Amino acid sequence: MSNLTRLRPEDTDSSSAEDLPLVTDEGPRSTSRGSRAAARAAASDEGFRTSSRRSRIFGGIALGVVVVGTLFPFWWMIRTAFSTNNAMFSDPLSLLPVEFTLGAFERVLGIASTSDALAEGGSGADINFGLYLLNSVIVCVLITVGQVAFSSAAAYAFGVLRWRGRDTVFAIFLVALLVPGIFTLLPNFILVKELGLLNTFIGIALPSIFMSPFVVFFLRQFFLGVNRSILEAAVIDGAGTWRIFYRIAAPLVAPQIVTIAILQFIFYWNDYLWPLLVGQSEDTKLLTVGLGIFKSQTPQGSPDWAGLMAGALLAAVPIFILVVIFGRRIVGSIQSSGVK
């Protein structure tokens, strides 16, 4: 039988006698095992640190590639907008503006004369940028306000009110999320045409102004988190359903309502196909449609790329301001909702 003894405190780095390793009569063999275990632990720690370092390096490289890939088109748009069409094709690979000029912005804003535009390689086409910008603001505000108001009421009904078949109806309602928008394009166009709403702001906004399945789903996630004891207290105090909605429930999810309003405004700001079909007259043409027509106008045989990029850059300014002001709130609301 082997005799077991404990190492003395001075024989080990441990300060607690309970933690001292047991030593047998085998002596040197046990010490050798401990050394191998310590070596394996050290090797494991070193491997973990090496793996962690490699992961950070790989993640940094991947993040850098994504950032460069995302920002490079935007930089190329700026570079082209500040270049001269004639000189731009002489140095097509330059990352900086070729013969820096503000002529493209002057052409888009209608400040430059036709002779000046042609001298800088412009196509000679013009665009009523101010009118198209105003039309886009009117339509997008109309859609955003109507859609958020109606969708908030629907989300409140699906998330807070209790009625028979609520979850079943909501599941069927969500099926609309699976239907591509192109499928409803022709029926909506025929309906708007039959109603005599072609070339009107109402006709452009009508298919989207009442409701969006995505907005209803997004807001319902937050109405589900409203403290029901507050709503029940309001019921006891005699408040009706409508009053509870707009005086209590809606203010509690106001940050999320603002977030989805901004997201929808950005979405419809960039919409092109439906406004192109319905808003053909000059008075109802939106900015995206105007820029598309500006690109297709080539009296000199080639599009005015610098002017087109300048127009796109100016069109992105309102969206850029919204993202800078509300970007953090938008990301936070999307993360808390679980929607990707």
Side-chain angles (χ1 to χ4, degrees), residues 162-227:
R162 292 176 177 173
W163 41 281
R164 188 175 181 180
R166 182 190 69 174
D167 295 337
T168 303
V169 173
F170 182 67
I172 297 173
F173 180 76
L174 285 184
V175 174
L177 284 172
L178 306 177
V179 179
I182 194 70
F183 286 1
T184 60
L185 202 63
L186 183 57
N188 286 337
F189 177 79
I190 295 174
L191 177 61
V192 170
K193 183 180 178 181
E194 294 297 324
L195 293 175
L197 296 176
L198 290 179
N199 298 318
T200 63
F201 291 145
I202 293 296
I204 299 175
L206 188 61
S208 308
I209 194 172
F210 290 113
M211 199 171 292
S212 166
F214 171 73
V215 177
V216 174
F217 173 76
F218 182 88
L219 293 179
R220 178 182 175 269
Q221 303 301 107
F222 296 100
F223 278 117
L224 287 174
V226 173
N227 192 338

Side-chain angles (χ1 to χ4, degrees), residues 20-290:
L20 295 176
L22 296 177
V23 178
T24 67
D25 295 342
E26 297 172 351
R29 183 181 300 177
S30 176
T31 303
S32 177
R33 289 198 198 101
S35 299
R36 287 197 296 271
R40 285 196 296 271
S44 176
D45 291 342
E46 180 64 24
F48 176 77
R49 284 194 291 270
T50 303
S51 176
S52 178
R53 194 180 306 117
R54 289 175 180 171
S55 299
R56 287 197 297 271
I57 294 173
F58 178 78
I61 294 173
L63 182 61
V65 170
V66 171
V67 170
V68 171
T70 302
L71 295 181
F72 183 76
F74 187 69
W75 168 249
W76 196 257
M77 183 172 69
I78 296 175
R79 172 258 184 196
T80 305
F82 286 102
S83 299
T84 304
N85 277 326
N86 293 332
M88 186 168 55
F89 294 101
S90 63
D91 192 3
L93 298 181
S94 174
L95 294 178
L96 298 176
V98 183
E99 293 188 4
F100 183 90
T101 179
L102 296 177
F105 293 91
E106 294 175 353
R107 294 196 296 275
V108 170
L109 296 176
I111 301 175
S113 63
T114 304
S115 58
D116 292 339
L118 295 176
E120 291 193 350
S123 64
D126 57 356
I127 174 175
N128 198 341
F129 189 85
L131 177 62
Y132 299 162
L133 180 66
L134 179 62
N135 292 343
S136 293
V137 171
I138 293 173
V139 171
C140 291
V141 170
L142 193 62
I143 294 176
T144 302
V145 172
Q147 190 176 92
V148 170
F150 289 112
S151 297
S152 298
Y156 176 77
F158 284 124
V160 176
L161 300 182
R162 292 176 177 173
W163 41 281
R164 188 175 181 180
R166 182 190 69 174
D167 295 337
T168 303
V169 173
F170 182 67
I172 297 173
F173 180 76
L174 285 184
V175 174
L177 284 172
L178 306 177
V179 179
I182 194 70
F183 286 1
T184 60
L185 202 63
L186 183 57
N188 286 337
F189 177 79
I190 295 174
L191 177 61
V192 170
K193 183 180 178 181
E194 294 297 324
L195 293 175
L197 296 176
L198 290 179
N199 298 318
T200 63
F201 291 145
I202 293 296
I204 299 175
L206 188 61
S208 308
I209 194 172
F210 290 113
M211 199 171 292
S212 166
F214 171 73
V215 177
V216 174
F217 173 76
F218 182 88
L219 293 179
R220 178 182 175 269
Q221 303 301 107
F222 296 100
F223 278 117
L224 287 174
V226 173
N227 192 338
R228 300 194 71 87
S229 62
I230 299 176
L231 306 180
E232 291 168 356
V235 173
I236 294 174
D237 290 341
T241 302
W242 176 248
R243 189 176 182 185
I244 293 174
F245 166 65
Y246 80 89
R247 294 293 299 272
I248 300 176
L252 289 176
V253 297
Q256 290 72 33
I257 292 177
V258 173
T259 297
I260 196 63
I262 295 171
L263 290 176
Q264 293 304 99
F265 185 91
I266 295 174
F267 177 80
Y268 290 105
W269 184 269
N270 296 322
D271 195 14
Y272 174 75
L273 187 55
W274 178 252
L276 176 65
L277 292 175
V278 180
Q280 289 287 335
S281 68
E282 188 71 12
D283 294 336
T284 58
K285 201 170 289 179
L286 303 192
L287 191 55
T288 51
V289 179

